[in-house]
Amino acid sequence: MDADEMLATTRAVRKRLDPDRDVPEHLIRECVSLALQAPAGSNLPRTRFVVVREQRLRAAVAEIYSDIYLHSYRASAGYIGRVEASGTQQRTARSADALERALHEVGTIVIACLDGVRLDGASAFTSASMLGGVLPATWSFMLAARARGLGTCWTTMHLSREKEVAEVLGIPFERVQQVCLTPLAFTRGEKFSPARRPAAEEVIHWDGWDAAKLAAPPLDGIAAPS
Ligand SMILES: Cc1cc2nc3c(=O)[nH]c(=O)nc-3n(C[C@H](O)[C@H](O)[C@H](O)COP(=O)(O)O)c2cc1C
């Protein structure tokens, strides 16, 4: 697979995670090693990967995700709007339902964290600088996983109850911020297709902001419930 194909086909995998094939530890180490090649502010990597393999811990994390998903998110305007919509939005909602179930089945859950600082109430500058060190590494981890036949799905839903997950896993909440939770499992089949996305021209603002370009919707109804 060349780089363009990998970038175009690394999907949010929810329905095609295979819980029956164990993910060897050495593959996880390889993905993390590659992830750490990503840029980091001040060349100080603050990204940490909490790899949850023990059944009891996985179940506890999955249960928190499910509780939020089933009892808060599925009743939210964002979810209902998606289900009532058609096409991509509806498929995303249905696929998200599948992930809630899959999280209870897969043998590995990975939580990417920012070590050393929490961003609650931080300035835009601090947030961008600190998250900017974790997000590229996390995406690189997912690309490296894809190159090894492994599927991932970026999620943030559990962050509305981040502290509970921190307690389950012994993550020091006061100085470590969780950023992304993903299942990690071999995929059923390795062929994935490019997704429908806006055309490049719709999002490129040549020589400054162009108000005629594609406008993003307001946040209401999209963010996970808190
Ligand atoms: C910041 C962020 C948060 C996300 N949170 C969730 C989530 O909580 N649950 C979920 O099922 N998917 C979540 N997703 C996955 C998106 O729904 C997915 O990337 C999107 O539908 C596009 O899917 P595709 O990459 O397969 O085309 C999240 C993605 C991002 C980037």
Side-chain angles (χ1 to χ4, degrees), residues 77-152:
Y79 179 84
I80 292 166
R82 283 180 172 176
V83 171
E84 285 172 355
S86 57
T88 309
Q89 289 293 305
Q90 193 181 64
R91 279 195 298 279
T92 300
R94 293 299 177 211
S95 173
D97 288 351
L99 178 71
E100 180 275 316
R101 293 187 294 273
L103 274 179
H104 290 268
E105 297 168 356
V106 293
T108 308
I109 293 173
V110 179
I111 300 179
C113 300
L114 166 66
D115 190 15
V117 57
R118 291 200 61 80
L119 298 173
D120 313 295
S123 69
F125 169 73
T126 304
S127 300
S129 304
M130 293 295 110
L131 287 176
V134 177
L135 306 185
T138 305
W139 184 235
S140 289
F141 175 90
M142 293 179 165
L143 294 172
R146 165 90 174 110
R148 286 158 179 73
L150 300 167
T152 56

Side-chain angles (χ1 to χ4, degrees), residues 10 20 52 73 79 100 123 137 140 153 159 176 179 195 205 214 217:
T10 302
D20 297 328
V52 189
Y73 181 67
Y79 179 84
E100 180 275 316
S123 69
S140 289
C153 179
L159 295 177
V176 175
V179 170
H205 294 236
L214 183 68

Side-chain angles (χ1 to χ4, degrees), residues 10-14 65 69 82 92 95-97 99 139 153-158 179 195-197 224:
T10 302
R11 298 267 70 81
V13 186
R14 302 179 179 103
Y65 187 98
Y69 190 84
R82 283 180 172 176
T92 300
S95 173
D97 288 351
L99 178 71
W139 184 235
C153 179
W154 195 297
T155 80
T156 53
M157 184 145 311
H158 83 285
V179 170
R196 281 169 68 96
R197 295 285 199 255

